[in-house]
Amino acid sequence: MERDITKVTIITVKRLTATFSLIGCCCMLLIIWLFRKYNSLAQRLILSLSLAAFFDSIAYVMGEVLPDGVLCNFQAWWLTYFDWCALAWVCCITLNLYLIVVKEIRTDRLELAYHCAAWGVPFMLSCLPLFGDYYGPAGAWCWITDEHVAWRFIIWYIPLFTLIFLMMLCYLRIIYVAKQRVTTWSGTYEPSRERRKVVMAEEIKPLKWYPCVYLAVSLFPLLNRIHNAIFPSQPVFILTLLHVISAPLHGLANAFVFGLDKETWGQLTITSLQLAIQSRFCDSTRIREYQTANVHYVAQIDEEDSESCGDDTIVMVSMPSITLKDKGP
């Protein structure tokens, strides 16, 4: 009886936190669409991150733990794939910012490569346990089973914390270079260039928190999985509860970081929202094609002015009254 209550509590908490993440992802997607932020490459990368976190949250919202079979394998694959997609897009955001700030490279042409890497590599990684039949019931959801603990660390935890560590190193370098460029001056002073430096420094501030978000929400799952590996038959309720609270929070945490952007936060006013909604749904502007008409101009010139014009004199003639006759198409 007590075990059933514990199981129901774990599943309920998992669904609740995943629902909050789902709402956070929807808000991010809505804001990006409403204010047309997708015109910027950086915002399109965040849009892709939001989509990955959205589908990841759906995996956590799914029903109770399924018995080992096709549906359980699909749930485990779905969870692994979109967990990896969300992490991959954070890596792409970090790499894109590193190339722009440190290497001073235009990255618009790399967008297709970002998509291939962020959607393709996770697909291959998530299929590896599927081919080995390593997916199955694994606590509060379907994932890699307790019989294949090493695969949990090979497929997810070791790459996860390695990438988080590398991203933090990248951001340290990015912040250092950005500060150096803001505080130093050389050559001809260009106000627009200096303004871009300040704007870029402001944009870096919220983006640097994305790796920290993944570190925060992955810490308790790692501790719980380590305990499961050492004591597979002795699960700890508190660790499991913290696991199911933090693991589905990727979407909500991303939405919080997204809201740290000053420009985005400044747009979240009633007036700005009303204008954005009107621009999206109530724009009555129409561009129509009209056929040209034959227009005849008749100028009335006073006789005295016309008589005063000599043969060798150039006179500026004024036409006070001009009648416009439209003969129609």
Side-chain angles (χ1 to χ4, degrees), residues 146 149-150 152-153 223-233:
D146 295 335
V149 174
R152 293 177 176 176
F153 293 90
L223 295 176
N224 187 44
R225 293 305 185 185
I226 291 175
H227 181 272
N228 291 342
I230 300 173
F231 306 102
S233 59

Side-chain angles (χ1 to χ4, degrees), residues 44-88:
R44 287 198 297 273
L45 297 181
I46 295 175
L47 172 64
S48 299
L49 170 63
S50 304
L51 286 173
F54 175 83
F55 289 109
D56 188 42
S57 300
I58 291 177
Y60 287 107
V61 174
M62 288 181 182
E64 299 182 0
V65 179
L66 300 171
D68 193 8
V70 176
L71 290 178
C72 185
N73 289 341
F74 176 74
Q75 185 188 55
W77 174 86
W78 181 291
L79 185 63
T80 305
Y81 176 64
F82 285 108
D83 268 341
W84 259 110
C85 287
L87 178 61

Side-chain angles (χ1 to χ4, degrees), residues 34-48:
L34 194 61
F35 292 101
R36 294 179 170 87
K37 288 180 170 290
Y38 47 77
N39 293 325
S40 165
L41 174 60
Q43 292 296 330
R44 287 198 297 273
L45 297 181
I46 295 175
L47 172 64
S48 299

Side-chain angles (χ1 to χ4, degrees), residues 171-192:
Y171 273 107
L172 288 176
R173 178 63 176 167
I174 290 168
I175 293 170
Y176 174 78
V177 172
K179 285 185 177 180
Q180 286 293 109
R181 289 180 181 169
V182 170
T183 55
T184 58
W185 175 82
S186 61
T188 306
Y189 179 78
E190 297 181 11
S192 60

Side-chain angles (χ1 to χ4, degrees), residues 304-315:
E304 295 180 357
D305 294 335
S306 62
E307 291 177 354
S308 63
C309 296
D311 294 335
D312 299 330
T313 306
I314 300 175
V315 181

Side-chain angles (χ1 to χ4, degrees), residues 12 32 45 50 100 135 147 153 167 170 197 231 243 245 251:
T12 303
I32 292 173
L45 297 181
S50 304
I100 292 174
Y135 287 139
E147 289 77 18
F153 293 90
M167 283 190 286
C170 286
K197 290 181 182 180
F231 306 102
H243 185 169
I245 289 175

Side-chain angles (χ1 to χ4, degrees), residues 210-251:
Y210 282 108
C212 298
V213 161
Y214 272 79
L215 178 63
V217 300
S218 301
L219 185 59
F220 288 117
L222 174 65
L223 295 176
N224 187 44
R225 293 305 185 185
I226 291 175
H227 181 272
N228 291 342
I230 300 173
F231 306 102
S233 59
Q234 301 176 13
V236 177
F237 174 73
I238 296 298
L239 276 178
T240 306
L241 183 63
L242 292 173
H243 185 169
V244 299
I245 289 175
S246 58
L249 283 180
H250 290 152

